[in-house]
Amino acid sequence: MSSTISTPVADGYTLADAGDFIADYTAWLWGCGATCTRIEKNAGRIARALGYDICITIMPKHISLTLSDPSAGCRAIYQRAMVNCGINFDLNARLSALSWKIADKKLSFSQARQLLEEIIATPYPTTQLTVLLTSLANASFCRLFGGDADAMLVVFAATFAGFELKGMLLKAGLDVRLVFMMCAFVSTIVAVGAQLFGWGATPDIAIATSVLYLIPGVPYINSASDLIDRHYLCAMSRFMDACVLTACLSIGMCAGLSLMELSSI
Amino acid sequence: MDILLQNIIEDGFFAAMAAIGFASISHTPPRTFIVCGLAAAAGHALRYVMMSPSLGNIHIVLASTAAAFVIGLIAVLLAPVVRVPAEACLFPSLLPMIPGMYAYRSIEALISCVSSASPDNAGSLYSLAFNSITCLLIVLGMVIGANIPIFLFKKISFQATR
């Protein structure tokens, strides 16, 4: 993926080693949901600590970086496909901490490479605690929109069912858009129970908020954040990704409402 | 007045619950949960007060921007304490204010627009424009408000994990 210029420098790494390392690092940082500003800052920090100048081009599916060695007068271009690992702030925090460890010379290059491998190999399974907290979060959302206690209970159950299904389907390797449609469909069907059985005074709020746990909030915020930093292509890409997922959950919800013979809420 | 105070506290409490739950979806380190909850409670309660007809009666876009500024301030100042990037505290705290209902209703109106060619269906077009523009402006306002503290305290924001 790179033109090969191997200029040996102190501490046992070459321009090619550093380029591969930073390219991997930035691809994972994007994948875990970092903003373009953070990617540029962290990558620049690492490159400077290793003694190189860097110029980064961030595209929605790929990253391209030009690393140059001012002392040797040589440069090379490295490209990577972005990693698709889902929003993960723990990964973001650990990768950011790694960049500072390199900048503060607390790690040698080989140790930094080893730590990066450890960080990206860490599994992040969805635990039952996450399912419980998400269900509670969506029930709280229902309350914020004016739902009563019955509606909150229904939303809790709808979210629990949908989120469990989401975990199973993603594990089975289904396309994320299809997963969003199916989860929204199931959550809506569960929530419609409030209307059918006359539970509580706000069944409409229960139905409307039952799918809000699927709204891709972080990509929407990241998109606007990139827009402010004039990364227009990335901003548009993240916005469109979020819109597609929102459309998928709306389709799932509409299908659920149609099946239960409710035209709208 | 007592009921209003109770409503404000309740709003902050449920916003905190929502922020912690959404933080867990995004694999935020658990040590960050308390900061997310605190920031979301403060921001959401402030928005509630600002939007309340008997108090501020301010439009949702402006109120969201001001609330996001407060959330950003808390997140940026407390991120170094829990040693995570400011975004890890900031984004989950903002999520309870994401206009999910507006986003959903925009798509619903979009689908409705093509469901009938009758001029009587013009209401769907209005609904699409109103909901999508409001949704966009709220998100933009929130991000601008939340980013101001990041730019004001740049050194703290980007050195939190050092």
Side-chain angles (χ1 to χ4, degrees), chain A residues 159-179:
Chain A
T159 309
F160 197 93
F163 201 78
E164 280 282 8
L165 181 70
K166 185 183 168 197
M168 283 189 271
L169 296 179
L170 286 176
K171 209 173 181 179
L174 254 71
D175 186 278
V176 69
R177 291 160 290 192
L178 191 61
V179 171

Side-chain angles (χ1 to χ4, degrees), chain A residues 55-112:
Chain A
C55 182
I56 306 173
T57 308
I58 306 171
M59 301 296 282
K61 297 271 284 181
H62 296 86
I63 194 153
S64 172
L65 53 97
T66 306
L67 211 58
S68 54
D69 185 346
S71 57
C74 57
R75 66 183 59 191
I77 298 167
Y78 299 84
Q79 291 180 327
R80 281 291 182 284
M82 296 300 194
V83 176
N84 190 10
C85 62
I87 305 296
N88 189 325
F89 285 118
D90 189 52
L91 207 53
N92 186 339
R94 292 171 71 193
L95 289 171
S96 296
L98 171 62
S99 74
W100 278 114
K101 281 179 187 159
I102 297 168
D104 293 338
K105 311 283 182 199
K106 288 177 182 169
L107 293 176
S108 67
F109 181 77
S110 57
Q111 285 172 322

Side-chain angles (χ1 to χ4, degrees), chain B residues 78-159:
Chain B
L78 294 183
V81 179
V82 285
R83 300 182 71 80
V84 293
E87 302 99 286
C89 297
L90 181 58
F91 288 6
S93 312
L94 287 178
L95 289 182
M97 293 204 304
I98 283 281
M101 291 295 281
Y102 286 101
Y104 160 69
R105 289 199 189 282
S106 303
I107 303 291
E108 190 189 44
L110 184 71
I111 294 167
S112 178
C113 274
V114 293
S115 64
S116 165
S118 162
D120 296 341
N121 198 27
S124 299
L125 204 59
Y126 164 77
S127 176
L128 173 66
F130 173 76
N131 285 298
S132 55
I133 292 170
T134 310
C135 178
L136 274 175
L137 290 180
I138 292 172
V139 175
L140 209 57
M142 277 167 52
V143 176
I144 289 169
N147 268 291
I148 293 170
I150 291 180
F151 286 111
L152 283 179
F153 303 102
K154 233 174 187 170
K155 203 172 174 186
I156 301 175
S157 305
F158 289 101
Q159 293 197 7

Side-chain angles (χ1 to χ4, degrees), chain B residues 52-74:
Chain B
S52 176
S54 58
L55 294 170
N57 203 16
I58 293 171
H59 191 266
I60 188 169
V61 176
L62 278 178
S64 300
T65 308
F69 174 78
V70 171
I71 290 175
L73 208 58
I74 295 172

